[in-house]
Amino acid sequence: MSGKRDYYELLGVTKSASKDEIKKAFHKLAHKFHPDKKEGDADKFKEVSEAYSILSDDKKRAEYDSYGRVFGGGGAPNGGAGFNAGGFDFSQFQDAFNQGGFDMGDIFSDFFAGNGGTTRQKRGRDISIDLELSFHDSVFGVKRSVLLAKTSLCDTCKGSGAAKGSEVVTCTHCNGQGKVHETTNSFFGTVTMVQPCKHCKGKGKIPKEKCQTCRGEGVYKKQDEIEINVPAGIEGGEMIRLNGQGEAVADGSAGDLYVKIHVKPDARFKKDGPNLVTELSVKLSDALLGGSYTIETLDGSESLDIPQGVTHGEILTIKNKGVPTARGKRGDLQVRIKINLPSKLSRSARGLVEKLREEGI
């Protein structure tokens, strides 16, 4: 880089950034440009590493802020100390990165995997879909089937990649070891790593004849019908997780399927915990004298007796017509009474109301 690029600009931070912000920015970029990554960039990785080695050191950062360069020597900008012609001097480079508790191994765990590092378990991608339900189905629960186009385990070979009855032979690329030594020229110099064999996927054995359906991959893209059991009483916005129903990978575990629920509103009912709430309009005369009304529930029609003298806003309850709960029980249907007051009165009706007023009613 040699001063051609601004260190702060390289890391994507401001000149007032804290050491923690600088460390986090470098952590992110180092993972992105790691030379051992598929889309890594050794030159950019070297640049951000150089920037971090200066800005993470208080003395070097102060010199850089004042003069635009570092005079202390021993840093990467002034000759690349920490590297030699024979390879990689890890100790000096690590000191620059470990300031402030930075974990060098966290950044380069992928790069050194196979040379004492841990191999991560393969896992397929998770999938997220949306599912719209009627209010009725959200209350009682429902089974839904969806058709998804995704990478799935091969039905023919059950993920083995071998044709039916095919003989299994020793992989010639790794001589049955399941791993190979790979030499990479990188920012660190020449590094030899032990990697799982790509041809046998670390097994050391390969089928003599590949499965024709998946071409030996063990997985392929196809349409799968997935059954979703929606529980009773689910709310809009809730998520259902189906383990192992995401995308599959060979020699690994499948991802998960996440189903986000959307509930269509119902003009008649609202949920209040395990109970349902609805409204019923009654005539003034029925409110005063009582009466009987037929009301719609989610289970069908029900008869509801209106008691004499019911008040506006009063709640009447129909038992066990609400949301199903645990142990087979159900909430109630709560009916809020609305009394319809006439906007105009006939002469005879007005006379009756005036008599009621005279009697103090």
Side-chain angles (χ1 to χ4, degrees), residues 9 35 45 56 68 75 85 91 100 125 131 160 179 191-192 246 253 268 271 299 313 326 331 335 346 348 354 356:
E9 180 184 339
F45 182 81
S56 61
S91 60
R125 288 193 314 113
L131 184 63
S160 69
K179 53 189 177 182
V191 179
T192 299
S253 59
R268 301 166 301 167
K271 276 196 269 189
D299 299 270
V335 183
S346 64
S348 60
E354 287 178 347
L356 291 174

Side-chain angles (χ1 to χ4, degrees), residues 67-241:
Y67 307 107
R69 57 175 294 188
V70 176
F71 299 92
N78 298 319
F83 297 86
N84 55 51
F88 173 52
D89 181 0
F90 189 82
S91 60
Q92 291 187 31
F93 191 77
Q94 185 176 16
D95 288 342
F97 286 87
N98 279 348
Q99 296 177 41
F102 191 77
D103 185 0
M104 185 75 168
D106 184 39
I107 286 288
F108 303 112
S109 59
D110 288 339
F111 189 80
F112 293 103
N115 289 328
T118 57
T119 302
R120 295 179 181 176
Q121 171 72 29
K122 290 183 180 179
R123 187 177 184 277
R125 288 193 314 113
D126 293 334
I127 299 174
S128 178
I129 63 172
D130 295 279
L131 184 63
E132 189 174 59
L133 301 177
S134 67
F135 187 83
H136 181 281
D137 287 343
S138 75
V139 170
F140 294 108
V142 68
K143 286 186 179 181
R144 285 286 184 86
S145 292
V146 295
L147 201 60
L148 294 181
K150 63 187 182 77
T151 302
S152 303
L153 208 63
C154 178
D155 295 324
T156 304
C157 66
K158 308 302 180 187
S160 69
K164 188 175 181 180
S166 174
E167 180 184 354
V168 177
V169 297
T170 300
C171 176
T172 56
H173 291 85
C174 64
N175 294 321
Q177 297 299 311
K179 53 189 177 182
V180 294
H181 293 265
E182 292 184 357
T183 300
T184 304
N185 293 320
S186 71
F187 175 54
F188 302 115
T190 301
V191 179
T192 299
M193 298 172 292
V194 178
Q195 300 282 15
C197 177
K198 297 178 181 178
H199 297 274
C200 66
K201 299 179 176 62
K203 294 179 180 179
K205 302 284 185 180
I206 58 174
K208 194 171 184 180
E209 185 181 350
K210 292 181 179 180
C211 172
Q212 294 300 309
T213 304
C214 64
R215 298 180 181 180
E217 294 297 323
V219 294
Y220 69 105
K221 193 104 173 180
K222 66 187 184 77
Q223 286 193 325
D224 275 348
E225 188 174 10
I226 309 295
E227 187 175 83
I228 304 169
N229 290 313
V230 180
I234 197 166
E235 298 285 349
E238 287 192 67
M239 195 84 76
I240 299 173
R241 177 183 177 183

Side-chain angles (χ1 to χ4, degrees), residues 314-346:
E314 187 174 340
I315 301 292
L316 304 181
T317 299
I318 302 178
K319 291 289 186 181
N320 301 318
K321 295 298 179 182
V323 180
T325 59
R327 300 178 184 176
K329 296 183 178 179
R330 289 184 63 175
D332 301 327
L333 175 61
Q334 297 179 336
V335 183
R336 182 177 288 111
I337 299 300
K338 288 181 63 179
I339 299 175
N340 283 337
L341 297 177
S343 58
K344 293 182 179 180
L345 293 175
S346 64

Side-chain angles (χ1 to χ4, degrees), residues 268-283:
R268 301 166 301 167
F269 304 102
K270 294 186 183 301
K271 276 196 269 189
D272 182 15
N275 299 321
L276 295 176
V277 179
T278 189
E279 290 185 341
L280 176 65
S281 296
V282 300
K283 295 183 294 185

